[in-house]
Amino acid sequence: MNARAILSLGLSVALAPTVAFAQDKPDAPALYQQYCAQCHGATLQGGNGQSLVDGIWNFGGSSGSIRRNIKHGITHLGMPAYEGAMEDDDIRALTDFLLAKEKEGGAEKPPVPSEVQTQDYIVGVETWVEGLDTPWGMAFLDDDTALITERPGTLRLVKGGKLADAPITGTPVVHAEGQGGLLDVATDPDYIDNGWIYLAYSHSLEPNEEGGKRPAMTRIVRGKLKDGAWTEEQTLFEAPKDTYVVSGVHYGCRIVFDAEGHLYFSIGERGSQDHAQDLSKPNGKVHRIHRDGTIPDDNPFVKTAGALPSIYTYGNRNPQGLAVSKATGLLWESEHGPMGGDELNVMASGKNYGWPVITYGRNYNGSSVSDLTRKEGMEQPRHYWRPSIAVCGIDIYTGSQFPKWENAVLVGALRYESVAVLQTEGDHVLHEETILKNVGRVRDVVTGPEGAIYVVTNSPNAVLRLTARGERSY
Ligand code: HEC
């Protein structure tokens, strides 16, 4: 018997028809307390089940997804199905109630703390730069100067902690749609001597005949800064035109260098998951080129007929983080999985990382992508997140401020609005600690001058700076 039935049974006899009509409307707060509070908490703050007011909807935040989750449950994770227990009207009212509470909860979101206690350090947190528009990537030019990309297409300079008013002029025209735009920025390993700066962005072609949409793909250029202008641009990687895809998602775009100076960059599968396994397509891959755009002779597929010679690894869904460890030389990669399949990988030449043949995730509507989580000839992640944290930029920490984190992987997350420190040994993850939470959607994490950690966030659009204020012993 459902809550409404209990109410009307108790009250219907005594009440006038107009009041009885009012009783017929589902009482969402009462339904919540009866059915949901035991797991999700009396104030929706979480308990056995997750918080329903933190803005994180791992299984979809639209009204339709929430209704579906209540109706059919997420039974393999312990969320019961209420199809038999509640009418559609009850489920709809409950959904409206959850969304309204989430809005209230959002308004009460705590401010970014000025200090956090981690297991090893008391960490000072300050806003270093604000007033940005969807910042995505960041790179230091020297101890005092950094460049920050803004996804809509602008490159901004920060000097002495102050954001220059005018963006850099002359940067490439980007295809700013969906997840695309001006994405990563990186400096040459020999920047002091040669001044080269690298950009990754979404590049589009003229609209195609059907539908008038612009096909787009990731493009890599380099250039130099002169008097606030982007100059001497060279295109280092441009995909064959017939591989461009009409889609707003999964551009990848992170750029890093290894100790020998090879340039690695990522391209997500652009929403065409099967392309990730196709070596004639640039998407769903990590690529490796020389800094002038030429192809290294020892790339894994230079002799494979039909393969793009820049491909280094394949089977990658949407690599959002790349970082090379100075200590081990390993190339770490983070990639957005589908629901519940975010991965941290160690990349090795010519390897297949399995998407979409193997995955720890499911489609966002709960249906299965693949029954397989492992397969001969395909790499396992070093770590994966279920539920998804929406893993984003990563860095390998090296610096004087946090010696206990030396060579740990710093991991930013959009959905969890968090930064985690993953202690590793060789290519193994030993321990994960979330050091920052609810600070905005974290796009990138960068070790900066004097070993401070810089955290690029969206909503609020800012860069935070983390410094050590003292050690803690545990
Ligand atoms: C027996 C415990 C339990 C009860 C009772 C329960 N839930 Fe859940 N619920 C869960 C668990 C566990 C999850 C999945 C958590 C995870 O692993 O991410 C979940 C997930 C959800 C989600 C998806 C959240 C997201 O991130 O997308 C919604 C919405 C939800 N529950 C609503 C409800 C509502 C409304 C009720 C009452 C009608 C309810 N739940 C009752 C345990 C419960």
Side-chain angles (χ1 to χ4, degrees):
M1 185 180 289
N2 67 29
R4 226 170 94 202
I6 296 167
L7 280 177
S8 38
L9 206 70
L11 296 172
S12 58
V13 183
L15 292 172
T18 45
V19 183
F21 178 71
Q23 286 298 335
D24 266 338
K25 270 180 64 183
D27 181 354
L31 286 171
Y32 179 83
Q33 293 305 332
Q34 183 186 358
Y35 286 104
C36 323
Q38 53 179 313
C39 287
H40 292 288
T43 56
L44 293 74
Q45 80 284 7
N48 248 345
Q50 68 206 65
S51 165
L52 298 175
V53 283
D54 61 1
I56 298 171
W57 300 101
N58 291 310
F59 305 94
S62 68
S63 168
S65 314
I66 295 173
R67 288 205 309 270
R68 187 194 65 227
N69 288 329
I70 299 173
K71 189 167 179 176
H72 304 299
I74 312 166
T75 44
H76 66 290
L77 293 177
M79 165 69 194
Y82 287 91
E83 197 167 15
M86 272 187 251
E87 307 287 329
D88 280 353
D89 282 353
D90 295 341
I91 292 177
R92 190 176 291 274
L94 208 37
T95 301
D96 292 345
F97 169 73
L98 296 188
L99 287 171
K101 280 287 173 193
E102 184 210 332
K103 262 205 184 129
E104 283 173 28
E108 286 162 20
K109 192 174 152 178
V112 173
S114 60
E115 195 167 278
V116 292
Q117 309 266 336
T118 71
Q119 289 181 24
D120 297 318
Y121 298 100
I122 300 163
V123 178
V125 183
E126 61 191 304
T127 300
W128 189 60
V129 177
E130 49 195 345
L132 296 158
D133 186 0
T134 323
W136 206 94
M138 173 170 169
F140 278 91
L141 302 180
D142 58 42
D143 277 1
D144 200 35
T145 319
L147 285 173
I148 300 172
T149 56
E150 294 178 309
R151 196 173 64 193
T154 36
L155 183 62
R156 308 292 298 269
L157 188 84
V158 181
K159 202 162 175 56
K162 272 204 66 162
L163 180 67
D165 290 337
I168 306 293
T169 58
T171 51
V173 174
V174 305
H175 181 63
E177 213 180 82
Q179 298 169 5
L182 181 58
L183 301 178
D184 208 15
V185 54
T187 51
D188 194 281
D190 301 315
Y191 173 76
I192 299 179
D193 300 322
N194 64 25
W196 285 118
I197 296 163
Y198 299 77
L199 295 175
Y201 68 97
S202 318
H203 173 248
S204 65
L205 304 174
E206 287 306 307
N208 62 14
E209 278 105 61
E210 323 103 60
K213 291 243 161 79
R214 286 175 170 273
M217 194 55 78
T218 300
R219 194 184 206 220
I220 309 290
V221 297
R222 69 175 177 180
K224 296 185 182 183
L225 278 190
K226 211 169 174 189
D227 305 326
W230 177 255
T231 60
E232 296 182 49
E233 182 177 293
Q234 299 176 350
T235 299
L236 304 183
F237 175 86
E238 186 174 282
K241 301 257 182 303
D242 61 359
T243 64
Y244 276 48
V245 176
V246 173
S247 156
V249 300
H250 304 174
Y251 283 94
C253 267
R254 208 56 82 173
I255 303 173
V256 291
F257 300 91
D258 67 13
E260 289 95 55
H262 298 112
L263 185 164
Y264 298 81
F265 65 93
S266 59
I267 308 185
E269 36 78 304
R270 305 284 292 103
S272 299
Q273 59 182 40
D274 295 335
H275 291 187
Q277 292 292 324
D278 180 346
L279 293 173
S280 72
K281 307 279 191 193
N283 38 331
K285 316 288 177 339
V286 171
H287 297 255
R288 178 183 189 246
I289 58 178
H290 287 304
R291 286 179 271 174
D292 62 1
T294 56
I295 305 291
D297 292 339
D298 57 350
N299 264 11
F301 302 111
V302 282
K303 298 205 176 76
T304 307
L308 292 174
S310 56
I311 294 175
Y312 186 67
T313 66
Y314 63 112
N316 301 116
R317 185 172 179 272
N318 190 21
Q320 294 285 288
L322 287 176
V324 174
S325 165
K326 288 199 180 77
T328 62
L330 294 174
L331 173 63
W332 291 83
E333 178 245 27
S334 65
E335 85 180 50
H336 267 223
M339 188 169 79
D342 288 2
E343 295 182 357
L344 185 69
N345 291 300
V346 170
M347 309 314 261
S349 180
K351 299 285 190 197
N352 180 356
Y353 290 79
W355 176 255
V357 181
I358 58 171
T359 174
Y360 286 92
R362 302 176 81 79
N363 287 317
Y364 291 107
N365 66 4
S367 65
S368 145
V369 179
S370 165
D371 292 337
L372 302 179
T373 52
R374 44 178 76 231
K375 192 171 180 186
E376 187 79 31
M378 295 185 182
E379 300 304 301
Q380 282 293 302
R382 299 291 127 186
H383 191 67
Y384 67 90
W385 287 274
R386 198 165 64 187
S388 291
I389 62 174
V391 67
C392 207
I394 64 173
D395 199 9
I396 312 290
Y397 184 75
T398 48
S400 51
Q401 296 228 12
F402 303 102
K404 291 180 187 167
W405 295 346
E406 184 71 19
N407 207 38
V409 187
L410 304 173
V411 175
L414 294 164
R415 187 173 287 158
Y416 271 36
E417 303 194 357
S418 63
V419 175
V421 174
L422 272 64
Q423 297 286 356
T424 59
E425 186 160 281
D427 62 2
H428 280 69
V429 175
L430 301 178
H431 180 251
E432 175 177 10
E433 181 189 4
T434 299
I435 58 164
L436 209 57
K437 185 94 175 89
N438 295 328
V439 291
R441 295 162 60 76
V442 177
R443 281 277 165 208
D444 201 7
V445 192
V446 178
T447 307
E450 283 140 31
I453 297 169
Y454 292 78
V455 181
V456 178
T457 65
N458 293 171
S459 62
N461 290 318
V463 179
L464 306 175
R465 179 170 182 266
L466 312 185
T467 50
R469 292 202 179 145
E471 281 203 27
R472 300 185 74 216
S473 51
Y474 219 66

